Structure formats: structure tokens, C-alpha cells
């Protein structure tokens, strides 16, 4: 399934000792990508992820690189959001705000959150779709989509069971329902057509609980169904930042 456009580079895998090393490596790479984008195009456009591994990256970015000038030219979007108020503990926006955005010089007007507190969620998704198409028209696109991966192989809020969302070809944002065991269930997510327009896609994973999903996403065997995380590819690069526990079971590279 290819729901993006343009050429697709091979997936890169970078394995580090632990979550701290993953976060430091991803933060170093983030700064290089951001400064290159600002130099080339005048701004850096990133979609942030929720989850514990991205949270560690955000803390590292704020602590070591919070004073960099590129933040003033950064536009922030989100890969997904739970349908909760922005101050709710389950909100991806709140996590990113606490860990990163409140600690760097990103202008509030350049932070485009998904309004999870508004109903119906389908209308919020449609509004976010329209926002993305307006702000990222023509050759403009996400410079970087940051993603995590769940133990079931989901990424953003694209879950293996949700064929309608995975098969979407036109819309860039959808209202979806997570499967049992994931709360809150009602969510808004970017789709594969939106994510696969990004110049770079980075997937962060740490811990033994992610190892099976990582392997299925990177080394799908004949007859297997590729998990959602394996379906996202950047037009210029796709990189998985893993700790050794998450990389356990991968074939030698």
C-alpha cells in the first residue's frame, strides 16, 4: 500500500543503548533537520507525537537546545489527539506543551493543536484537514513527522483493526475510535496520505514491549500484514530510532 507520492528511500534503523541514548540521538538529529529547513525554506514544519518515548525526546530538546533560534521559525502540528480538553492528562497537546513547547520560543500562533474537546470529532478532523491543506499547499509539506509505535503496531491513532482509516486515500485527518484497551477511545488522527507527504518520518521506540511490533513493521514476512507503523514513509527519509530492547529480534543490518 502506497498512499503517498514521490520517491521513497530505504528505511534507516539506528539502535542505541537505552531510552536516554535514543532521546539524545533524536534530539541532535532534530536540531540538524530544523536548522537545515529554516536555512533552505525559512521555516521548520513538524508534526509531534504523543507517548513516553517522544516525551523523553521533548525533555531532551528543551534542556539542551531550548535556546536555539530555529524555534522562532517552527510551525507545530500533531499526528493525533485524544478527544479530551487540552489540560487533560491524556492530551497529547498537554504533554508536548509541558515537556517542550512551554520551554522554547515557539510562538503560540504557530502551534496548531487538534481541538479534542470539541464535538463532533468528525468536524474537528475536517477543520484540521482544511488547515493542513491551506498551510501546506503546493510544494509545502511537513519537514518532519515524529511518530511512536504501539505494541500492536499502531502509530498516531492508526490502528491495525481500522481498515477504513488505513485505506483512506483523500482526507488528511480523520475521527477514529481506538480498539478496546485504549482510552480515551475517541481520537483524531492524521492519515497515511498526510503522513506520507512528510519529507522525513522518524519513528521512536524503546522497551522490550515494542520489539515484536518493530520487527513486524520493518521485516514483514511473506503473507504477513504490515502494521500501520510500517506503512509510513517519508519522501526523503524514514528512520527508526530504537533502543536495544526494542531492536531485539531484528535481523542483522
Amino acid at each position: 500500500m502506497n498512499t503517498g507520492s514521490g520517491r521513497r528511500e530505504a528505511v534507516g534503523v539506528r539502535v542505541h543503548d537505552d531510552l536516554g541514548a535514543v532521546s539524545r540521538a533524536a534530539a541532535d538529529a532534530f536540531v540538524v533537520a530544523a536548522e537545515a529547513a529554516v536555512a533552505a525554506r525559512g521555516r521548520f514544519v513538524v508534526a509531534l507525537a504523543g507517548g513516553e518515548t517522544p516525551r523523553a525526546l521533548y525533555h531532551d530538546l528543551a534542556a539542551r537546545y531550548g535556546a536555539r533560534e530555529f524555534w522562532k521559525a517552527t510551525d507545530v502540528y500533531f499526528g493525533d489527539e485524544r478527544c479530551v480538553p487540552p489540560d487533560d492528562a491524556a492530551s497529547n497537546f498537554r504533554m508536548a506543551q509541558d515537556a517542550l513547547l512551554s520551554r522554547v520560543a515557539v510562538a503560540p500562533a504557530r502551534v496548531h493543536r487538534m481541538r479534542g474537546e470539541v464535538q463532533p470529532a468528525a468536524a474537528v478532523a475536517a477543520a484540521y484537514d482544511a488547515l493542513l491543506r491551506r498551510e501546506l499547499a503546493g510544494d509545502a509539506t511537513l519537514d518532519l513527522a515524529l511518530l511512536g509505535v504501539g505494541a500492536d503496531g499502531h502509530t498516531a491513532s492508526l490502528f491495525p483493526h481500522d481498515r477504513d482509516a488505513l485505506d483512506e486515500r483523500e482526507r488528511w485527518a480523520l475521527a477514529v475510535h481506538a480498539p478496546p484497551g485504549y482510552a480515551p477511545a475517541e481520537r483524531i488522527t492524521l492519515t497515511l496520505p498526510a503522513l506520507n507527504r512528510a519529507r522525513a518520518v522518524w519513528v521512536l521506540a524503546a522497551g522490550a514491549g515494542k520489539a515484536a511490533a518493530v520487527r513486524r513493521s520493518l521485516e514483514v514476512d511473506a503473507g504477513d500484514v504490515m502494521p500501520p507503523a510500517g506503512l509510513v514513509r517519508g519522501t526523503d527519509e524514514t528512520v527508526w530510532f530504537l533502543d536495544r530492547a526494542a531492536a531485539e529480534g531484528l535481523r542483522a543490518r
Side-chain angles (χ1 to χ4, degrees):
M1 181 188 304
N2 182 357
T3 56
S5 60
R7 63 190 177 89
R8 302 285 149 177
E9 301 293 345
V11 177
V13 177
R14 302 179 188 178
V15 180
H16 302 276
D17 286 339
D18 53 27
L19 175 57
V22 168
S23 300
R24 290 189 295 274
D28 293 343
F30 185 104
V31 172
V32 171
E35 292 182 340
V38 172
R41 293 177 291 279
R43 65 173 180 165
F44 175 54
V45 186
V46 62
L48 299 183
E52 291 307 309
T53 309
R55 186 200 302 266
L57 164 62
Y58 302 157
H59 278 295
D60 197 84
L61 277 170
R64 295 198 292 129
Y65 296 115
R68 292 294 181 101
E69 285 295 310
F70 72 81
W71 294 112
K72 297 176 182 178
T74 296
D75 290 299
V76 177
Y77 296 86
F78 288 83
D80 72 323
E81 184 57 278
R82 287 80 175 261
C83 289
V84 296
D87 58 353
D88 191 284
S91 167
N92 287 339
F93 167 77
R94 177 180 170 178
M95 185 274 279
Q97 179 74 5
D98 290 350
L100 177 63
L101 300 176
S102 64
R103 303 168 64 193
V104 298
V106 175
R110 302 184 80 150
V111 177
H112 306 286
R113 71 178 182 89
M114 295 173 169
R115 298 187 177 278
E117 74 278 17
V118 177
Q119 291 292 324
V124 178
Y128 210 75
D129 181 292
L131 170 70
L132 291 168
R133 292 178 189 277
R134 182 173 67 250
E135 298 297 325
L136 304 180
D139 293 334
T141 187
L142 295 171
D143 292 302
L144 173 62
L146 282 172
L147 297 168
V149 58
D152 61 354
H154 85 267
T155 194
S157 282
L158 296 169
F159 290 89
H161 78 287
D162 194 345
R163 296 311 314 174
D164 287 344
L166 294 174
D167 290 340
E168 176 62 43
R169 295 293 189 274
E170 300 298 330
R171 289 173 291 181
W172 288 3
L174 289 177
V176 297
H177 281 82
Y182 289 91
E186 193 171 19
R187 302 175 179 212
I188 302 155
T189 187
L190 297 192
T191 60
L192 291 174
L195 293 169
N196 283 343
R197 292 183 77 251
R199 291 185 173 91
V201 168
W202 296 353
V203 184
L204 284 66
K210 304 295 179 69
V214 168
R215 185 180 183 282
R216 292 197 310 273
S217 298
L218 294 175
E219 298 179 349
V220 64
D221 293 321
D224 288 348
V225 176
M226 179 74 77
L231 298 173
V232 186
R233 297 287 186 91
T235 60
D236 293 346
E237 72 169 19
T238 307
V239 181
W240 285 59
F241 290 84
L242 309 173
D243 72 354
R244 295 197 181 280
E248 183 69 26
L250 288 179
R251 303 183 187 104
R253 290 175 173 254

